[in-house]
Amino acid sequence: MTVMAKPEQTSARTMVSAPALSPATIAKPDLISVEQAKAMDVAVMTDLFKAHLNPGQLHFMKLLGFHKIKIERAEGMFYIDQNGRKILDFFGGFGSLAFGHNHPRILEARKKFQEEKRQEIAIAFMSQYAAALAHNIAKCSPGDLDMVFLGSSGSEAMEAAVKLAERAAGPKRPKIVYAENSFHGKTKGVLGITDGQLYRADFKMADNTVRIPFADIEAVERLFRSDPEVGVIVLETIQGGGGIIQAPAEYWQNLRALCNQYGVLWVADEVQCGYGRSGRFYAFEHYGVIPDVTALAKSLGAGKAAVGAMIARREVYMKAYGTPKTAMIHAMATFGGMGEACVTSIEGLNVLYDEGLIDNAAVTGDYLLQRLQALKDKYPKIIKDVRGKGFMVGLEFHDFSQTLPMVLRPIVSVLDDKLKGSLSGFVGALLLRDYDVLVAFTEYNRNVIRLEPPLICQREHVDRFVDAFDSLLSRGIVSIVKDFVKSQVR
């Protein structure tokens, strides 16, 4: 009998030998150390930013002169750059620096937490720090706003707020109302109620939203009356990205009454205007009303941690997530309620009241507005409006053509739309270059300079800022433009 050998079978798959299980075989990448990062110069920073972060953004940083500065440290109201230059911070991280930079009590609380090797992530257990922070936030909140969700950002807090309100409103009332020129975040959910085409781009938005004018109570009433599917309305108490826009007290009082009448839940976005910035803990407290849900972030992390919070009325919260079956639908995420972040926020809230910073925002903020109003009167052809509350202030310029000599206005006016924001940019860049002052801008009305200094700001800082601003405007618009152009070719 002939025995046939079984032919060898080959596989089309490429076989790769497994590496030896030894750390020595894994080469360390070319990583930058902490000390090397600290010593990095501006040129290397620029190269890495362009290579790995946001090349397009670098264009705008160069226009404003921000790309030439390396911040070595920061303290109180000031940044200190690589040359030892102290830059007065009237930007305040879009309202994230209530306590200025590196407040000693905040640093000490964080240092002690680290030295004691306290728990950071305690997802499996209850955290005394998260519980204490939630208690403190509830105590700072009026009425029955006492149920707290902790997150890491304003967008996350607003996502939680909108989800909770939509769920509490119920499936028969799915529509969410938002305002023109609103900004509630860039994450996908709240992007649908953020009124900015730049941010929306070509993303597909949720189809259950309705847009109305801001501060138009008649529009609100018509919508509530005509559409029984409306369940939620979401509004910034003071519009930040819209150019520091407020509504009168009667608007908020009537809004509260209409929400009660039609059973609509009101979500107040206080991410930027809250935490004492307006001269009250929440900006809506100026009007004697309380929303159903609100949100905080920015300075809630005391300038040293990323912390956001949604705060809801217990009745609304329990309707959405009040049973064991529904409790985990939107429970705290991995980094919501981290130990050191909570300790930072706990200490921050105590400092806020111990140092009277809310009162300071009201009093010194009023002084800032008075001094800026005097500048408006001095330069009526340049400054169109000064507005705001506390340390949330907008300074709006006229369209570019209106600031020029009469003979040039008809020629330039056809370019006003394209030139929007140019004067704000020129002024912001020259304030930084020539006066060591940092200011911010707004997303939608590009003619507005946004001022959100830390709540520790004193009159001396206001005087320094306003005097610098006055000195710059005294050059005249033509000279300001020439000086800016020169700065771009140096």
Side-chain angles (χ1 to χ4, degrees), residues 273 276-282 286 358-359 361-362 389-391:
C273 61
R277 180 150 297 278
S278 73
R280 299 294 295 270
F281 188 80
Y282 292 105
H286 288 284
I358 300 177
D359 293 332
K389 199 178 286 291
F391 280 140

Side-chain angles (χ1 to χ4, degrees), residues 68-146:
K68 299 176 182 178
I69 295 172
K70 176 189 175 184
I71 300 301
E72 291 287 1
R73 61 189 183 89
E75 186 174 353
M77 287 291 298
F78 295 93
Y79 289 103
I80 296 93
D81 76 358
Q82 71 271 32
N83 301 312
R85 179 171 65 140
K86 295 180 71 175
I87 299 169
L88 180 63
D89 186 6
F90 261 62
F91 171 20
F94 292 121
S96 299
L97 294 164
F99 308 100
H101 300 273
N102 291 308
H103 190 288
R105 276 184 57 177
I106 305 298
L107 294 182
E108 183 59 30
R110 291 169 65 84
K111 180 182 177 183
K112 187 174 182 181
F113 182 91
Q114 295 165 12
E115 289 174 344
E116 294 175 351
K117 297 183 179 178
R118 297 286 183 171
Q119 81 272 14
E120 191 64 83
I121 297 176
I123 299 173
F125 311 102
M126 288 186 289
S127 164
Q128 64 268 50
Y129 307 115
L133 177 56
H135 168 271
N136 286 0
I137 292 172
K139 285 294 184 182
C140 294
S141 304
D144 56 351
L145 287 168
D146 58 5

Side-chain angles (χ1 to χ4, degrees), residues 28-244:
K28 181 180 179 180
D30 185 16
L31 302 179
I32 296 171
S33 70
V34 172
E35 287 302 312
Q36 288 172 326
K38 186 173 73 172
M40 192 179 293
D41 63 25
V42 172
V44 175
M45 289 165 58
T46 302
D47 288 343
L48 294 181
F49 189 96
K50 188 175 182 179
H52 303 297
L53 285 170
N54 193 328
Q57 187 179 352
L58 189 60
H59 165 76
F60 299 103
M61 297 180 77
K62 287 182 176 180
L63 280 177
L64 295 167
F66 292 176
H67 70 299
K68 299 176 182 178
I69 295 172
K70 176 189 175 184
I71 300 301
E72 291 287 1
R73 61 189 183 89
E75 186 174 353
M77 287 291 298
F78 295 93
Y79 289 103
I80 296 93
D81 76 358
Q82 71 271 32
N83 301 312
R85 179 171 65 140
K86 295 180 71 175
I87 299 169
L88 180 63
D89 186 6
F90 261 62
F91 171 20
F94 292 121
S96 299
L97 294 164
F99 308 100
H101 300 273
N102 291 308
H103 190 288
R105 276 184 57 177
I106 305 298
L107 294 182
E108 183 59 30
R110 291 169 65 84
K111 180 182 177 183
K112 187 174 182 181
F113 182 91
Q114 295 165 12
E115 289 174 344
E116 294 175 351
K117 297 183 179 178
R118 297 286 183 171
Q119 81 272 14
E120 191 64 83
I121 297 176
I123 299 173
F125 311 102
M126 288 186 289
S127 164
Q128 64 268 50
Y129 307 115
L133 177 56
H135 168 271
N136 286 0
I137 292 172
K139 285 294 184 182
C140 294
S141 304
D144 56 351
L145 287 168
D146 58 5
M147 297 299 292
V148 178
F149 169 90
L150 296 174
S152 304
S153 69
S155 291
E156 186 181 0
M158 283 303 298
E159 293 275 2
V162 173
K163 284 180 68 178
L164 179 136
E166 181 178 346
R167 182 166 171 78
K172 293 183 179 180
R173 308 191 68 174
K175 292 187 179 179
I176 300 170
V177 182
Y178 69 100
E180 292 176 358
N181 293 324
S182 60
F183 184 91
H184 299 291
K186 297 178 185 176
T187 50
K188 189 67 185 300
V190 290
L191 191 59
I193 54 172
T194 288
D195 186 34
Q197 190 53 48
L198 172 67
Y199 304 123
R200 287 176 166 235
D202 54 0
F203 298 112
K204 181 174 175 54
M205 297 295 105
D207 60 3
N208 64 327
T209 60
V210 183
R211 177 175 174 263
I212 61 170
F214 182 68
D216 185 341
I217 199 64
E218 292 180 358
V220 174
E221 185 168 14
R222 283 195 301 270
L223 180 60
F224 285 7
R225 186 172 59 244
S226 64
D227 193 343
E229 290 193 343
V230 170
V232 180
I233 184 166
V234 185
L235 300 166
E236 295 161 272
T237 314
I238 302 174
Q239 287 193 327
I244 317 299

Side-chain angles (χ1 to χ4, degrees), residues 54 120 131 217 222 234 262 293 299 386 449-450 458 464:
N54 193 328
E120 191 64 83
I217 199 64
R222 283 195 301 270
V234 185
Y262 289 96
V293 188
S299 287
V386 172
I449 282 182
R450 176 169 15 190
Q458 300 298 310
R464 175 174 165 180

